Amino acid sequence: ATLHAYMRWPAAAALGLCAAQNAGSFLLMRYSKLEHADYSDMVAVLVAEGIKLAISTAAYAVECGGLPGMARSLRGDLVERRAEWMRLGVPALMYTAQNFLLFVGAANLDASAQQLAYQTKILFTALFARTLLGTRLGSAQWLSMLLLVLGVLCVQGAFDAAPSGGGGRSGGGRGETGRCQGEARGHCRCE
């Protein structure tokens, strides 16, 4: 077996795990908001960010050879690249706000609509990279953007065609206003 053939299965496994994790997180978030909505969204986001910070700090400490090496590296980096740390703070705060809005959207949108609306961030990132940074996208990348938009439009069309009566918390019981508010909140996320 060649190295190229060997590298295919880990990439496919990583892709499968990422897809399962992404879909599972949305479904779990939606379930938790519908069944156990008595918790604070902000606390949930801060706990999740704290867990990610602890894991990334531990990984960086291992990479630096321990806590003293990590402390020296961070101290030197903060002194030498203070402006870069400030610039990195803006997207980090926006990412935290996005995660909070995901919980708000989970309470107001159907899981599939929330997932597809969330994926539009890829389209907006590509458009902003093109217009603001002058980044060139290949034809396969533009085709994937087109397919993404078509998928979002198909799901949106399915919701528009669905009857507005009925119960449940996926939009029918909330009426048009609840669904539209959830979509607006869902589209206000940035990453």
Side-chain angles (χ1 to χ4, degrees):
T2 65
L3 180 63
H4 183 67
Y6 174 75
M7 292 302 286
R8 287 186 190 164
W9 82 264
L15 177 63
L17 285 173
C18 285
Q21 181 270 333
N22 199 6
S25 68
F26 275 96
L27 293 174
L28 184 61
M29 186 185 311
R30 175 131 175 97
Y31 172 77
S32 72
K33 287 308 292 178
L34 294 180
E35 298 297 324
H36 310 286
D38 58 344
Y39 63 86
S40 169
D41 297 338
M42 187 57 72
V43 170
V45 169
L46 291 177
V47 167
E49 295 300 318
I51 290 170
K52 289 190 273 187
L53 178 64
I55 291 170
S56 61
T57 301
Y60 190 59
V62 169
E63 181 181 318
C64 292
L67 289 175
M70 180 189 77
R72 278 191 305 276
S73 176
L74 282 176
R75 194 174 319 117
D77 203 33
L78 282 170
V79 170
E80 293 174 12
R81 299 183 179 132
R82 185 179 310 252
E84 187 175 339
W85 279 85
M86 298 297 278
R87 285 192 302 265
L88 287 173
V90 174
L93 290 174
M94 292 177 74
Y95 181 74
T96 303
Q98 170 197 357
N99 287 339
F100 172 71
L101 290 173
L102 282 174
F103 278 93
V104 174
N108 294 301
L109 285 174
D110 185 76
S112 61
Q114 182 189 12
Q115 177 75 343
L116 281 173
Y118 179 71
Q119 295 307 322
T120 59
K121 71 178 181 180
I122 298 168
L123 174 66
F124 289 113
T125 300
L127 291 175
F128 288 137
R130 175 71 182 120
T131 57
L132 299 176
L133 302 175
T135 304
R136 294 248 179 229
L137 298 177
S139 57
Q141 292 166 320
W142 283 114
L143 178 63
S144 66
M145 295 299 140
L146 176 66
L147 292 174
L148 174 67
V149 169
L150 291 175
V152 170
L153 291 175
C154 286
V155 168
Q156 183 61 43
F159 280 108
D160 289 343
S164 61
R169 294 189 49 147
S170 64
R174 293 181 181 266
E176 193 67 23
T177 305
R179 191 189 62 145
C180 291
Q181 285 177 350
E183 286 181 28
R185 290 175 180 147
H187 284 293
C188 289
R189 297 178 302 238
C190 303
E191 183 171 14

